[in-house]
């Protein structure tokens, strides 16, 4: 399916991930990153995909039985001294299904989940080289957070 | 100055797609020199971001893609952006350390301007307009 087929995004259902979706989720991630991380995704499913917690969200976008994209996030309390806020740490859409508003639908859905969990701020972290993702989150209205991520080599 | 005028103008034209806007209109709105602004608009037209509309009611019309055009694209038409790296020639340790910090700032600046499209900026303007910002209201007039 291409983005041209997905112009009518009302046919898209955003719902919590199910175990049967994992194969397609892994394939979408592998297509984007070039790395097949099967164990990692099963671990994420067990931590985020069971739907038992309002604090942890693992959502997929489904169209006629095909998983077109996913988003994962959680509410983190007092991380680095910051009041509770939602963190989005993974989002992806099949390359052929992009530019049809799916990413926005996924993002809106997880934000609704975060609001339901009682937080009013959402954060994410993007590599400054990843212009595609930076442009996407900017287009959703995200601005630089009042924190700076720092690192150093331990060599 | 030219860069600021280019950014204001690009946003002004993109906010009015299809409608020709004159240089005089923008100059009056922002209180800037018509002569200086005309040069900037000619540069934007040469870069393919504006179409010239001749005749009565003429002016310029936005010709860019607001979903793809970023603030950095506009800035780079008027300014030479600094490339990260060690630069030319030998540096002592103080110069190298300072260059590392300045490079960090440059990279963040570039990533910021390069990820904000004109469409995203127009949404931000709209948000400020709804919140009652005088600058955003100026753009609406």
């Amino acid at each position: 399916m291409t983005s041209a087929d997905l112009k009518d995004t009302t046919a898209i259902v955003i719902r919590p991930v199910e175990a049967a979706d994992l194969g397609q989720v892994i394939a979408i991630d592998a297509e984007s990153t070039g790395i097949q991380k099967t164990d990692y995704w099963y671990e994420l499913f067990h931590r985020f995909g069971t739907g038992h917690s309002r604090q942890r969200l693992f959502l997929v976008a489904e169209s006629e039985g095909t998983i077109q994209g996913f988003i994962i996030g959680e509410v983190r309390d007092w991380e680095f001294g910051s009041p509770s806020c939602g963190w989005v740490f993974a989002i992806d859409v099949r390359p052929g299904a992009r530019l049809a508003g799916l990413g926005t639908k996924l993002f809106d859905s997880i934000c609704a989940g975060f609001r339901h969990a009682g937080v009013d701020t959402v954060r994410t972290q993007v590599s400054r080289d990843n212009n595609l993702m930076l442009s996407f989150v900017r287009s959703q209205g995200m601005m630089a957070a009042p924190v700076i991520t720092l690192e150093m080599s331990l060599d | 100055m030219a860069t600021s005028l280019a950014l204001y103008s690009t946003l002004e034209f993109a906010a009015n797609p299809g409608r020709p806007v004159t240089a005089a209109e923008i100059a009056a709105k922002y209180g800037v020199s018509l002569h200086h602004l005309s040069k900037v608009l000619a540069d934007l037209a040469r870069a393919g971001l504006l179409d010239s509309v001749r005749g009565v009611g003429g002016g310029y019309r936005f010709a860019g893609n607001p979903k793809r055009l970023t603030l950095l694209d506009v800035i780079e038409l008027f300014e030479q952006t600094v490339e990260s790296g060690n630069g030319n020639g030998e540096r002592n340790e103080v110069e190298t350390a300072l260059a590392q910090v300045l490079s960090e700032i440059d990279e963040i600046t570039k990533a910021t301007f390069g990820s904000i499209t004109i469409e995203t900026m127009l949404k931000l303007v709209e948000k400020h307009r709804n919140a009652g910002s005088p600058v955003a209201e100026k753009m609406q007039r």
Side-chain angles (χ1 to χ4, degrees), chain A residues 35-50:
Chain A
I35 306 169
Q36 189 95 10
K37 305 185 282 276
T38 305
D39 292 346
Y40 167 76
W41 283 105
Y42 274 91
E43 170 65 20
L44 271 188
F45 176 73
H46 287 298
R47 283 167 52 210
F48 292 85
T50 52

Side-chain angles (χ1 to χ4, degrees), chain A residues 6 11 32 60 64 117 119 121 123:
Chain A
L6 280 172
S32 291
V60 292
E64 295 172 357
V119 297
T121 302
R123 282 190 184 144

Side-chain angles (χ1 to χ4, degrees), chain A:
Chain A
M1 185 177 284
T2 67
S3 58
D5 302 316
L6 280 172
K7 287 296 180 208
D8 179 15
T9 54
T10 54
I12 294 286
V13 176
I14 308 292
R15 58 165 176 78
V17 69
E18 295 170 3
D21 304 327
L22 273 187
Q24 293 187 73
V25 168
I26 292 167
I28 292 169
D29 175 61
E31 189 175 359
S32 291
T33 64
I35 306 169
Q36 189 95 10
K37 305 185 282 276
T38 305
D39 292 346
Y40 167 76
W41 283 105
Y42 274 91
E43 170 65 20
L44 271 188
F45 176 73
H46 287 298
R47 283 167 52 210
F48 292 85
T50 52
H52 295 317
S53 167
R54 281 198 307 182
Q55 305 268 97
R56 292 179 167 181
L57 297 159
F58 186 162
L59 308 175
V60 292
E62 182 199 340
S63 167
E64 295 172 357
T66 302
I67 302 303
Q68 302 290 355
F70 61 84
I71 191 164
I72 311 173
E74 68 178 329
V75 174
R76 295 179 186 167
D77 300 320
W78 301 112
E79 193 172 58
F80 304 111
S82 167
S84 298
C85 74
W87 275 88
V88 173
F89 62 84
I91 179 169
D92 207 349
V93 172
R94 281 186 195 278
R98 289 177 188 168
L99 301 176
L102 274 191
T104 298
K105 277 200 157 198
L106 285 163
F107 189 81
D108 287 347
S109 297
I110 204 163
C111 286
F114 288 146
R115 280 188 207 96
H116 185 62
V119 297
D120 58 11
T121 302
V122 57
R123 282 190 184 144
T124 192
Q125 183 167 294
V126 184
S127 163
R128 63 180 174 229
D129 300 332
N130 190 347
N131 193 261
L132 184 70
M133 187 57 70
L134 269 179
S135 296
F136 170 73
V137 295
R138 289 280 191 185
S139 75
Q140 302 306 303
M142 295 190 100
M143 304 292 286
V147 294
I148 296 177
T149 303
L150 302 169
E151 68 173 26
M152 64 179 270
S153 167
L154 294 177
D155 289 345

